[in-house]
Amino acid sequence: QKEVEQNSGPLSVPEGAIASLNCTYSDRGSQSFFWYRQYSGKSPELIMFIYSNGDKEDGRFTAQLNKASQYVSLLIRDSQPSDSATYLCAVRSNYQLIWGAGTKLIIKP
Amino acid sequence: DGGITQSPKYLFRKEGQNVTLSCEQNLNHDAMYWYRQDPGQGLRLIYYSQIVNDFQKGDIAEGYSVSREKKESFPLTVTSAQKNPTAFYLCASSIRTDGDEQYFGPGTRLTVT
């Protein structure tokens, strides 16, 4: 059974600090990794994807991938109250995305 | 304005009734997907389609059916055989057919009593 694991949280971070979200996956053959943001009652929104080991930066977001450790993370710099949401990690295995249950992030003003 | 639309936003049905959820996209995406989301769980794949007139079962296809007669449309029918149909249903599409970079519609929240 291919799995993606995330800490459910909530993760509470002060406004302006760095939020660090983590995800581990079981399928060593996975090649594509995605982070989605989901506000309460809304659908997921794709915010980052990464294919290669290392870091990928986009504005305040940085995705980090370590295939040897089967670990992917998302850093959010200068956290804002509007970043409060559930963050879903998804990993592609064959033609499907395998989803974690999400980490709830709360940014405290 | 390009995007994915799902209708209706909220749907209420009695047990024993079939119900069809609409999903339309004007992004010219080849691949389309249906997921359900239950509280505290990850998204689970119901069906997906990589090309018109072809679709594949996902992990939880039992009690559901789909069709893909047009590139733009991928309706999902929740049949009376589905044991626990109350859930948030999400449709996604992608320009890629390998599963990458999926974009979601707004979702339909189905309640069956």
Side-chain angles (χ1 to χ4, degrees):
Chain A
Q1 181 79 0
K2 294 167 184 172
E3 294 181 336
V4 174
E5 301 286 341
Q6 294 182 257
N7 189 318
S8 61
L11 174 65
S12 187
V13 173
E15 184 176 356
I18 296 174
S20 178
L21 303 159
N22 304 315
C23 171
T24 58
Y25 59 95
S26 63
D27 183 4
R28 190 169 283 280
S30 296
Q31 297 295 320
S32 309
F33 307 86
F34 303 87
W35 283 100
Y36 286 78
R37 177 177 61 201
Q38 186 174 28
Y39 293 114
S40 180
K42 303 296 187 183
S43 61
E45 173 193 5
L46 179 61
I47 54 172
M48 289 288 288
F49 55 87
I50 186 166
Y51 300 127
S52 304
N53 273 332
D55 295 0
K56 179 182 178 183
E57 188 174 316
D58 184 1
R60 295 186 298 112
F61 298 99
T62 299
Q64 299 176 316
L65 175 62
N66 183 326
K67 289 185 179 179
S69 300
Q70 294 175 246
Y71 179 94
V72 57
S73 63
L74 178 70
L75 302 178
I76 306 174
R77 288 182 299 283
D78 188 23
S79 296
Q80 302 297 308
S82 60
D83 295 326
S84 296
T86 296
Y87 289 79
L88 306 174
C89 174
V91 175
R92 181 165 66 81
S93 181
N94 295 325
Y95 296 102
Q96 299 183 21
L97 291 184
I98 310 300
W99 295 81
T103 298
K104 184 171 183 177
L105 176 65
I106 298 172
I107 306 300
K108 296 189 299 183
Chain B
D1 237 355
I4 306 169
T5 57
Q6 291 185 247
S7 60
K9 188 173 181 180
Y10 297 97
L11 191 53
F12 298 89
R13 280 293 182 270
K14 295 289 188 187
E15 246 182 61
Q17 293 179 334
N18 291 356
V19 60
T20 297
L21 281 57
S22 167
C23 178
E24 305 276 332
Q25 54 97 3
N26 61 2
L27 301 168
N28 199 34
H29 285 178
D30 288 310
M32 297 186 74
Y33 305 82
W34 273 106
Y35 294 91
R36 73 176 272 168
Q37 187 176 34
D38 296 283
Q41 296 190 36
L43 277 65
R44 291 184 290 167
L45 182 64
I46 305 172
Y47 270 98
Y48 66 102
S49 169
Q50 295 167 301
I51 195 169
V52 174
N53 292 321
D54 188 45
F55 48 82
Q56 309 296 326
K57 291 183 179 180
D59 298 323
I60 57 164
E62 186 175 348
Y64 300 97
S65 65
V66 293
S67 63
R68 186 90 186 274
E69 296 176 2
K70 298 186 300 182
K71 189 174 186 178
E72 302 79 21
S73 178
F74 192 39
L76 173 74
T77 296
V78 184
T79 75
S80 56
Q82 169 48 232
K83 294 284 184 273
N84 296 295
T86 294
F88 188 35
Y89 288 88
L90 291 158
C91 177
S93 71
S94 174
I95 192 72
R96 301 174 59 145
T97 56
D98 59 3
D100 282 358
E101 294 182 53
Q102 296 179 27
Y103 295 90
F104 285 85
T108 292
R109 199 166 294 277
L110 173 65
T111 302
V112 177
T113 57

